């Protein structure tokens, strides 16, 4: 009996001395994703989380305070971890830590829910998109999701009026346009987009709710126009811009450094264009712009004439790009293609709207939706001509390698299957856009499209535009440039059509930190590829390099060189 009691005491003592299981980055990431899907249900739905469809964002001050406190605790947990045991663990720590620091900046330091109306208009813009286009929701689930989200949007309008105390002029004007555009869609197009049968009573109920929400959205737009105090300027100023740049790209990326490397890239690419023009079209003694512009006009002559031709061109290019990668053995390809390509749905407003809606890590085998920008065949001739000149056949050839094979579609599809979901969710734009920009060059160098001179020129034109985007972002927010200075530089130095320069001005104001991502990421991958070839010589494998990038799932760009070494 005494022995039994003794054994029981030993067992109890051992249990009392046991420590809780050691914290890990995996455990922290799992906890973070639960909270993240709760705070950002629309982003979670876009990433394949079907259960998030019936929820909508709450950015009231108490909800923001709770989210901030959670992020602070999560960051403390990461700081308390022991030294990382592997490169993969280090990548996850850096990705999650960077995500948390950006959240703390946006919601605490910048307080965007109090100073930026786009906090609300962006949520409005994306409230229904994934519900309407995703295939992992039944019709009944879509109806429930739309009804819940319509109610959530009404609450969001109330929250915006309580929270907002300031805004930037251009961001506020953009928000007003977006609110009115979405209200118009809710009034006239939402029910049709859901394809609810006429005999279904849910249609009438939803139509009433959509009308009420549209009224609230218009009322919020009216309030922004008449009542919101606008004290902030459009330009961030160097201090704020530098802080945002650091959070996006790392401490090495200062405004001065970005300005310097972007300007150098502009000179490099113009030199490459000049060399190509002299080699393939001859040297007529003309100045650079006068020699290049006729070549660009020749490029734009090769184009579709209507929607049917445009769509078929892209379908053919997708097939050609996949077969090229297989024949050249440049990268491993998924056995099953989960890609749906179509013209942008009618409820996507605007001729320039399109893009890749990738399958996320919560439903990795879902279809990736590739919606092409489009212009109606009934549009005026000059509108259609301008559109198809911009989206000419040589430019579209580069779009395919950028957007589909081996760019966004392939990279994001593989990332969605990575064991670490934060790779697909929190990897920066510099990785995804940098990879997609790099593979344009890589595939041309391998012979895609026969490396035709006009297609190579289309790539160089895009590469030049990427550097110009980065450069003018700094100039607008740190050097006092206005629309005239940007427009002149974009047209004369960047060789952009005037309408593209107008669009660039808006992007420089509304998304200045995202603009450099194409150039910044391309530069890292291009240099890593070059150093790999130099280091390994004849043993270097382009396929091994490409597979390593894609199979990583994503990482901070500062870690790319070490990862690929």
């Amino acid at each position: 009996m005494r022995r039994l009691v003794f054994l029981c005491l030993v067992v109890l003592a051992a249990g009392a001395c046991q420590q809780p299981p050691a914290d890990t980055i995996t455990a922290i990431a799992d906890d973070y994703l639960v909270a993240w899907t709760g705070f950002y249900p629309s982003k979670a739905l876009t990433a394949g989380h079907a259960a998030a469809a019936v929820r909508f964002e709450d950015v009231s001050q108490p909800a923001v305070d709770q989210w901030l406190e959670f992020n602070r605790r999560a960051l403390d947990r990461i700081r308390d971890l022991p030294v990382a045991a592997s490169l993969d663990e280090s990548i996850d720590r850096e990705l999650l830590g960077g995500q948390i620091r950006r959240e703390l900046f946006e919601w605490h330091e910048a307080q965007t829910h109090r100073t930026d109306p786009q906090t609300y208009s962006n949520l409005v813009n994306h409230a229904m998109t994934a519900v309407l286009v995703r295939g992992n929701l039944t019709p009944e689930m879509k109806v429930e999701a739309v009804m819940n989200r319509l109610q959530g949007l009404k609450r969001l309008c109330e929250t915006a009026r309580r929270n907002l105390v300031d805004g930037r002029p251009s961001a506020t004007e953009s928000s007003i346009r977006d609110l009115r555009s979405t209200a118009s869609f809710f009034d006239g197009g939402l029910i049709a987009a859901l394809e609810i049968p006429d005999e279904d009573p849910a249609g009438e109920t939803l139509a009433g709710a959509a009308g009420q929400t549209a009224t609230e959205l218009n009322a919020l737009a009216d309030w922004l126009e008449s009542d919101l105090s606008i004290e902030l300027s459009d330009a961030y100023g160097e201090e704020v811009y530098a802080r945002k740049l650091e959070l996006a790209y790392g401490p090495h990326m200062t405004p001065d450094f970005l300005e310097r490397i972007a300007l150098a890239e502009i000179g490099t690419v113009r030199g490459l264009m000049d060399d190509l023009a002299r080699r393939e079209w001859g040297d007529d003694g003309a100045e650079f712009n006068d020699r290049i512009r006729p070549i660009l006009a020749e490029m734009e002559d090769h184009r579709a004439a209507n929607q049917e031709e445009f769509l078929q061109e892209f379908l053919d290019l997708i097939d050609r790009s996949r077969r090229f990668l297989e024949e050249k053995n440049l990268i491993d390809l998924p056995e099953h293609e989960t890609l749906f390509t179509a013209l942008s749905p009618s409820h996507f407003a605007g001729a320039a709207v399109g893009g890749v809606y990738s399958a996320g890590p919560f439903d990795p085998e879902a279809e990736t939706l590739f919606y092409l920008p489009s212009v109606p065949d009934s549009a005026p001739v000059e509108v259609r001509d301008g559109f198809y000149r911009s989206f000419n056949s040589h430019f579209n050839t580069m779009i395919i390698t950028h957007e589909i094979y081996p760019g966004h579609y392939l990279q994001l599809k593989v990332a969605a299957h990575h064991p670490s979901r934060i790779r697909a969710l929190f990897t920066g734009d510099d990785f995804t856009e940098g990879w997609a920009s790099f593979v344009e060059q890589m595939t041309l160098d391998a012979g895609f499209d026969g490396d035709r001179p006009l297609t190579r020129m289309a790539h160089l034109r895009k590469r030049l535009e990427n550097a110009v985007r980065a450069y003018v972002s700094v100039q607008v927010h740190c050097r006092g440039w206005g629309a005239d200075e940007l427009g002149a530089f974009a047209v004369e130095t960047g060789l952009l059509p005037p309408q593209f320069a107008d669009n660039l001005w808006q992007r420089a104001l509304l998304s200045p930190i995202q603009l450099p991502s194409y150039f910044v990421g391309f530069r890292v991958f291009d240099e890593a590829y070059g150093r790999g070839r130099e280091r390994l010589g004849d043993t270097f494998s382009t396929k091994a390099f490409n597979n390593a990038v894609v199979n990583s799932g994503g990482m901070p760009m500062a870690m790319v060189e070490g990862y690929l070494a």
Side-chain angles (χ1 to χ4, degrees):
M1 180 67 180
R2 285 196 301 271
R3 185 182 178 196
L4 178 60
V5 172
F6 173 76
L7 289 173
C8 289
L9 290 173
V10 169
V11 170
L12 289 172
C17 292
Q18 284 181 351
Q19 298 295 317
D23 212 353
T24 65
I25 189 61
T26 301
I28 299 170
D30 288 345
D31 291 345
Y32 194 87
L33 289 181
V34 171
W36 182 85
T37 57
F39 190 72
Y40 290 113
S42 295
K43 290 182 179 180
L45 175 61
T46 299
H49 199 299
V54 296
R55 302 195 302 272
F56 193 65
E57 278 75 2
D58 174 10
V59 291
S60 63
Q61 192 61 54
V64 169
D65 289 342
Q66 185 176 7
W67 176 238
L68 285 169
E69 182 56 31
F70 175 83
N71 276 271
R72 293 185 186 103
R73 291 199 305 270
L75 191 58
D76 287 341
R77 289 174 66 186
I78 293 175
R79 288 168 175 160
D80 289 342
L81 289 173
V83 175
S86 67
L87 181 57
D88 272 337
E89 186 178 339
S90 295
I91 289 172
D92 286 347
R93 287 191 192 191
E94 289 299 316
L95 281 179
L96 187 54
Q99 164 68 14
I100 292 170
R101 284 186 285 272
R102 288 188 292 273
E103 292 293 320
L104 292 174
F105 175 82
E106 292 297 332
W107 295 104
H108 176 65
E109 291 183 48
Q111 296 198 19
T112 52
H113 61 302
R114 294 175 58 78
T115 61
D116 187 355
Q118 286 187 298
T119 302
Y120 304 91
S121 61
N122 286 341
L123 289 172
V124 171
N125 280 348
H126 297 102
M128 301 299 176
T129 302
V131 175
L132 294 175
V133 303
R134 282 296 177 200
N136 60 346
L137 301 176
T138 66
E140 294 76 19
M141 293 168 68
K142 289 189 176 188
V143 168
E144 181 185 9
V146 168
M147 181 61 77
N148 286 5
R149 285 172 168 262
L150 287 170
Q151 299 306 314
L153 285 167
K154 291 169 65 176
R155 292 191 296 272
L156 183 75
C157 291
E158 297 172 5
T159 300
R161 284 190 287 268
R162 283 198 304 269
N163 284 352
L164 284 169
V165 297
D166 206 341
R168 301 182 188 278
S170 292
T172 303
E173 291 170 10
S174 175
S175 296
I176 292 168
R177 289 193 300 270
D178 288 345
L179 289 168
R180 296 204 190 284
S181 175
T182 304
S184 177
F185 168 62
F186 283 0
D187 263 336
L190 177 60
I191 305 306
L194 283 166
E195 300 180 343
I196 297 175
D198 292 339
E199 64 273 12
D200 190 336
E204 185 175 349
T205 303
L206 278 176
Q212 293 173 8
T213 302
T215 299
E216 291 298 324
L217 294 176
N218 278 320
L220 177 57
D222 292 342
W223 182 83
L224 291 175
E225 272 186 327
S226 60
D227 292 358
L228 181 64
S229 173
I230 306 294
E231 302 294 337
L232 296 170
S233 66
D234 276 331
Y236 287 160
E238 187 153 2
E239 182 179 353
V240 172
Y241 183 87
R243 178 78 171 115
K244 285 176 171 281
L245 205 63
E246 175 192 1
L247 288 166
Y249 301 110
H252 70 288
M253 190 59 67
T254 65
D256 288 346
F257 181 65
L258 178 59
E259 178 182 47
R260 185 167 66 254
I261 61 175
L263 190 59
E265 171 77 348
I266 289 168
T268 295
V269 180
R270 283 171 64 93
L272 292 171
M273 296 174 81
D274 193 38
D275 291 343
L276 178 62
R278 292 173 188 273
R279 185 171 65 250
E280 299 293 338
W281 284 272
D283 186 355
D284 58 4
E287 293 294 325
F288 174 81
N289 282 13
D290 293 334
R291 184 165 57 254
I292 296 296
R293 290 194 189 282
I295 299 172
L296 299 181
E298 179 186 350
M299 175 198 308
E300 293 171 357
D301 284 340
H302 302 164
R303 63 187 189 274
N306 54 55
Q307 288 189 337
E308 182 180 1
E309 290 182 9
F310 190 64
L311 175 59
Q312 189 59 53
E313 180 173 75
F314 272 91
L315 293 173
D316 292 343
L317 283 169
I318 291 170
D319 182 59
R320 282 175 52 201
S321 62
R322 180 180 177 108
R323 283 191 286 107
F324 175 80
L325 294 174
E326 289 175 335
E327 291 167 3
K328 293 292 185 177
N329 198 26
L330 291 175
I331 195 169
D332 288 331
L333 296 171
E335 291 184 14
H336 306 292
E337 184 174 272
T338 52
L339 178 65
F340 174 78
T341 304
L343 299 177
S344 295
S346 58
H347 55 269
F348 282 18
V353 173
V356 173
Y357 294 79
S358 63
F362 299 111
D363 189 11
E365 279 302 305
E367 281 187 325
T368 290
L369 309 176
F370 181 32
Y371 284 132
L372 304 177
S374 62
V375 61
D377 288 343
S378 58
V381 173
E382 62 272 15
V383 173
R384 285 184 283 121
D385 187 65
F387 176 84
Y388 289 120
R389 279 190 173 278
S390 298
F391 289 93
N392 60 77
S393 298
H394 300 283
F395 179 74
N396 296 343
T397 302
M398 291 294 89
I399 286 181
I400 285 300
T401 53
H402 185 107
E403 299 287 351
I404 305 300
Y405 285 121
H408 290 323
Y409 165 66
L410 179 59
Q411 185 258 313
L412 293 172
K413 180 177 174 63
V414 175
H417 286 84
H418 197 279
S420 174
R421 287 175 169 174
I422 63 174
R423 305 280 179 101
L425 293 172
F426 302 143
T427 289
D429 288 337
D430 49 352
F431 186 96
T432 54
E433 296 296 352
W435 164 254
S437 299
F438 165 74
V439 298
E440 295 175 29
Q441 175 178 279
M442 183 273 295
T443 51
L444 277 180
D445 289 347
F448 184 55
D449 199 42
D451 193 14
R452 290 190 291 170
L454 284 174
T455 305
R456 174 69 68 166
M457 190 65 80
H459 161 65
L460 291 174
R461 189 185 199 182
K462 285 184 82 228
R463 181 174 164 184
L464 178 61
E465 181 181 358
N466 290 342
V468 168
R469 286 171 172 174
Y471 184 75
V472 302
S473 176
V474 178
Q475 304 311 305
V476 169
H477 289 276
C478 302
R479 309 291 184 252
W481 273 22
D484 290 342
E485 292 96 331
L486 181 146
F489 186 85
V491 171
E492 293 303 316
T493 303
L495 301 175
L496 291 179
Q499 65 269 27
F500 275 44
D502 292 341
N503 176 263
L504 181 57
W505 169 246
Q506 291 301 315
R507 291 189 67 181
L509 293 177
L510 301 179
S511 54
I513 304 303
Q514 191 271 345
L515 274 183
S517 62
Y518 306 82
F519 160 63
V520 170
F522 167 84
R523 181 173 178 266
V524 172
F525 283 120
D526 187 46
E527 290 181 355
Y529 184 78
R531 280 193 285 266
R533 294 186 64 172
E534 185 177 301
R535 183 176 66 254
L536 298 176
D538 292 341
T539 65
F540 178 82
S541 166
T542 297
K543 180 178 182 178
F545 179 91
N546 292 337
N547 282 338
V549 173
V550 170
N551 291 333
S552 74
M555 68 186 80
M557 293 306 286
M559 305 182 76
V560 165
E561 184 73 22
Y563 186 88
L564 296 175

